[in-house]
Amino acid sequence: MTNFDQVTATPRDQQVLNLLAQGCSNKEIGRELNITSGTVKRHLRTLFLRARILDGRKRVKLVRYVHEAESAVMTHCAGLNPKESRISILVWEGLSNREIGKIVGTSEQMIKNYLRCVFDKLGVWSRLELAIYVDSRGGKDRLPETKCQDSSGHAGSIFASA
């Protein structure tokens, strides 16, 4: 991924990005800008390519890019236990439920259950809204580094690869 300041975005791309950062769906963005959801998808694909976001939760990563410079230190997430906070951070990083399950050491279904509880506690409706919530509170600085093992069995920080 590149520094988002170096990514060229047309005024329309910027409008799409701003609405995405507010948590709008493609349909809502299209309605607001009077364009089709297919056109919204094309703008997003262009932004993904320009930002070199090629895999994972692309929308979450793109929004995280936009807010990265504005982040303050994350305050405690009201009512979240340590595992829920950790999973929220991993969602913010753009990992899938399967990837999070491998890191946390539980099943993909258990991650879905944790996320349902997190959504209820924080009053968010989607992974994107959760990522925006986490980002607005300082992202990964909220928790100590999360350790995982790479394919060679060595422990490392999941944050180092971002």
Side-chain angles (χ1 to χ4, degrees), residues 86-103:
R86 183 177 185 199
I87 290 168
S88 297
I89 298 295
L90 295 171
V91 167
W92 172 79
E93 288 188 332
L95 299 177
S96 69
N97 289 349
R98 181 173 288 155
E99 293 166 326
I100 294 169
K102 287 179 183 176
I103 291 169

Side-chain angles (χ1 to χ4, degrees), residues 75-148:
T75 56
H76 176 68
C77 294
L80 294 187
N81 66 40
K83 188 167 259 187
E84 291 169 338
S85 292
R86 183 177 185 199
I87 290 168
S88 297
I89 298 295
L90 295 171
V91 167
W92 172 79
E93 288 188 332
L95 299 177
S96 69
N97 289 349
R98 181 173 288 155
E99 293 166 326
I100 294 169
K102 287 179 183 176
I103 291 169
V104 174
T106 190
S107 70
E108 186 176 351
Q109 183 59 50
M110 282 302 297
I111 298 302
K112 289 178 184 178
N113 294 343
Y114 278 114
L115 285 174
R116 196 172 312 116
C117 291
V118 168
F119 289 0
D120 288 344
K121 288 179 181 180
L122 300 179
V124 298
W125 292 91
S126 68
R127 295 172 70 92
L128 180 59
E129 286 184 25
L130 176 60
I132 292 169
Y133 179 92
V134 171
D135 193 68
S136 70
R137 284 155 180 80
K140 70 180 179 188
D141 297 331
R142 159 64 177 91
L143 298 175
E145 285 190 359
T146 306
K147 300 288 183 181
C148 66

